[in-house]
Amino acid sequence: MISVQEATTIIQNHLGNFETETIPLSECVGRVLREDILADMPFPSFDRVMMDGIAINSEGWNSGVRTFPIQEMQPAGVPKVSLNNKHHCIEVMTGAVLPDHTDVVIPYEEIDIKNHEATISLASVTAWKNIHRTSSDRQMSDLLLSQNIMISPAEIATLAAVGKSEVIVLKQPKVAVISTGDELVEVNETPASHQIRKSNSYALKASLEEMKISASLIHLPDERQEVIDQLSTLTAKYDVIILSGGVSKGKKDHIPEALEMVGVEKHFHRVKQRPGKPFWFGTKGNTTIFALPGNPVATFLCFYRYVKPWLMASMKVNNTANQPMALLTADYEFTAPLTYFLQVNTSHKDGMLLATPIAGKGSGDFTNLNQADGFLELPESQSKFKAGEIYQYISFR
Amino acid sequence: MISVQEATTIIQNHLGNFETETIPLSECVGRVLREDILADMPFPSFDRVMMDGIAINSEGWNSGVRTFPIQEMQPAGVPKVSLNNKHHCIEVMTGAVLPDHTDVVIPYEEIDIKNHEATISLASVTAWKNIHRTSSDRQMSDLLLSQNIMISPAEIATLAAVGKSEVIVLKQPKVAVISTGDELVEVNETPASHQIRKSNSYALKASLEEMKISASLIHLPDERQEVIDQLSTLTAKYDVIILSGGVSKGKKDHIPEALEMVGVEKHFHRVKQRPGKPFWFGTKGNTTIFALPGNPVATFLCFYRYVKPWLMASMKVNNTANQPMALLTADYEFTAPLTYFLQVNTSHKDGMLLATPIAGKGSGDFTNLNQADGFLELPESQSKFKAGEIYQYISFR
């Protein structure tokens, strides 16, 4: 058995390599950018009026003029007009291009308009005031977005502004989520007294969906040859295979043997952790296989602790925040020489993330997860964990 | 002008009221549950074997037997068998129903199997060990999920387990995102020298999409009568209208007047904040109208500071974490008597959320948002903000 840290290192040493594709801007949020985005024009692209009011030439002001006849109006979205007389002004609207021969905008709050003349009530006027100068934010060809970032709404604004109606992004990996276990029936079936409904694979599919990855759901029966035949096909077809169940020591736990028989190289089996000890990990060519224990909480933990970080690293996402830590709010004891993943719910207080243990009824009770927000990672080197201590936190909400 | 706190209170006093709908389980993640979910059977629904090994009757052990002939096997997913002799055992697999007349499971690690007989190497045996007793997690009809929670993958597992292939959820509100301003052209167009491409409305649509709300994008020209006509139709058709631009004091800022002319009751216009001072808010019947300033950063801030919390409250979501605070890592000064929303990027350190100001070039520079993770809310009552102080944090990633 290896440690949690060893398992993490091995997994991170076997990253996937996914392709790119071009998709419409409207589908980009939550996807990973795979091209550098440059400014296709300066930002702003013109001297932009920032206040509603009048534009004057500061030389006119400096010559002593305080009342400026209004020559015309320069609304936003209208080609640039030109001030013909430095003792006159042009009424301007926010977002408009600054008229030629003007260099300062005086907002309506500071002027009084009567008979088509604007009288300025200010004591002094500074050139270029209330004007967003062209190129002041970004120069033409400046790098606005580097590739390998997760696209959020803020990036959508930038992509739209530079005219990227289509964007090169990471092609999402093809993922199969495979349930195993003859005791499982479909959600819409009524289980017999020795059966239960599938739930792990639906949770995994939903977790992947939150990463914009659409997974195929597949079920394997507890029949050795059938498992081998199907895994042979599936490992050739998918980039990532996430199995749930069938990795313990039972007579029907065919998964590890079957994976090796179809040519998957095992990198580890069994990790010093609870839940999730029987976790198995391997690769075959470009296909990565996570065979997670069938205990629902173990499946869930292993996804968020190992699979999701592997996906993020394989997708080369580099603009996510670092891993948070959280402060344990109550003493906890766990004596087995294993890393324990404690179900906690969290709250924020004065900038701190607080983690409060859930009163659980055993690691298999997945309904506890509904009260929890994540797991606190309690290291195997300790058995007593005191309120006020700080540990790594893995969020699943 | 009202304060940020007054604006917040007014908005929260005018919550929307949305309907419900029934959708397939596969579409539920990220939606709001609108029915209570009860256990349709006990959890576990049978005495469930937790380890691979053998099941015995503890009376057999207590009578001194240590070697138990194996009667048969009880795999998972197979109807329950029955132990015929207390001095025999049944081989059992994880997830199987516990055979009748057995009350303890001994894992393979603690036994030695030879000639169809299992010899136990343990010093003592405790009844019900390694058995997940029926009803020990939840009783039949126990409340598993209360309505008005955001459905995450953990809840998907629970919904699947109780057979909810269809779920009653909140029907997402009908939202229109409306851009204004004659200077705006489409993303796939090349702007003339007095034009820019639309970006705010795409960012808003993407932000709503992250809440699983699909918004319609609409553009209004700077023509008074056209604005009035269109708003008259749109306020009748949508639950929520989010406008961007047209709320300042300019001659082409027709939105506030037009909204009042079509019968929208104004609740406030202008908030003591930067960015976003010209923010306008009103309602007409069941339609709520957020008219946000057109400055891209102001639009973005107002969405995350006001519109999103209003949506969450209107959707009655009650399982989200409380509002985080973050620690300012550098001194900052802002002297205007306004609440200032400082763009920051964040990191985690020892359980604390740290917020570092972005070196910005003015609030209109939306490309700064690409470096930021959110806004720190610096209250209007102060002008100097010291490193180490803690303020409300509004995340947009």
Side-chain angles (χ1 to χ4, degrees), chain B residues 68-85:
Chain B
F68 296 76
I70 298 172
Q71 174 188 312
E72 62 185 306
M73 201 210 288
Q74 171 77 69
V78 170
K80 183 164 62 172
V81 299
S82 183
L83 184 67
N84 299 325
N85 182 329

Side-chain angles (χ1 to χ4, degrees), chain B residues 36-289:
Chain B
D36 289 336
I37 301 296
L38 308 183
D40 69 329
M41 58 183 74
F43 284 89
S45 57
F46 50 81
D47 287 330
R48 190 179 158 278
V49 172
M50 291 174 74
M51 301 286 280
D52 304 306
I54 57 167
I56 62 168
N57 187 308
S58 58
E59 289 176 24
W61 169 275
N62 292 337
S63 71
V65 180
R66 293 296 177 265
T67 297
F68 296 76
I70 298 172
Q71 174 188 312
E72 62 185 306
M73 201 210 288
Q74 171 77 69
V78 170
K80 183 164 62 172
V81 299
S82 183
L83 184 67
N84 299 325
N85 182 329
K86 288 182 185 172
H87 297 167
H88 291 185
C89 71
I90 293 174
E91 216 172 336
V92 289
M93 300 300 125
T94 302
V97 58
L98 183 75
D100 269 338
H101 308 301
T102 69
D103 62 1
V104 60
V105 170
I106 318 285
Y108 283 129
E109 289 86 339
E110 311 290 355
I111 59 177
D112 187 40
I113 297 184
K114 241 182 244 158
N115 300 324
H116 304 290
E117 292 189 337
T119 302
I120 300 175
S121 53
L122 286 169
S124 71
V125 152
T126 315
W128 303 111
K129 181 92 173 165
N130 298 320
I131 296 162
H132 197 174
R133 298 294 310 265
T134 182
S135 304
S136 62
D137 290 342
R138 297 289 185 263
Q139 310 279 328
M140 170 100 176
S141 301
D142 268 4
L143 180 67
L144 301 182
L145 301 174
S146 301
Q147 56 181 306
N148 298 332
I149 59 171
M150 184 68 79
I151 300 172
S152 80
E155 286 71 51
I156 295 288
T158 300
L159 291 165
V162 299
K164 295 294 297 183
S165 52
E166 298 207 306
V167 184
I168 303 173
V169 298
L170 179 91
K171 193 170 175 175
Q172 299 299 60
K174 288 185 69 176
V175 181
V177 168
I178 303 177
S179 52
T180 69
D182 283 349
E183 73 273 31
L184 299 179
V185 301
E186 290 299 331
V187 171
N188 56 5
E189 292 178 54
T190 302
S193 61
H194 55 282
Q195 296 176 322
I196 57 172
R197 294 192 186 92
K198 287 179 194 172
S199 61
N200 288 357
S201 48
Y202 290 97
L204 288 172
K205 186 174 166 61
S207 299
L208 288 159
E209 211 173 284
E210 293 199 309
M211 303 180 74
K212 295 275 176 130
I213 294 171
S214 173
S216 309
L217 288 187
I218 294 156
H219 183 77
L220 294 183
D222 288 340
E223 293 303 323
R224 188 172 169 280
Q225 193 54 49
E226 168 107 27
V227 168
I228 292 168
D229 293 347
Q230 287 229 38
L231 285 177
S232 176
T233 310
L234 295 168
T235 51
K237 196 172 158 193
Y238 287 93
D239 300 313
V240 184
I241 292 177
I242 308 173
L243 291 124
S244 169
V247 290
S248 295
K249 300 197 163 176
K251 288 275 159 66
K252 298 286 186 181
D253 290 334
H254 304 301
I255 300 297
E257 181 205 359
L259 284 168
E260 293 190 55
M261 283 194 62
V262 303
V264 179
E265 186 188 352
K266 177 177 90 170
H267 297 302
F268 63 74
H269 186 193
R270 297 166 71 78
V271 178
K272 284 188 269 179
Q273 64 182 8
R274 184 176 300 165
K277 194 155 69 173
F279 178 21
W280 190 104
F281 175 72
T283 53
K284 180 186 181 183
N286 289 324
T287 302
T288 306
I289 296 95

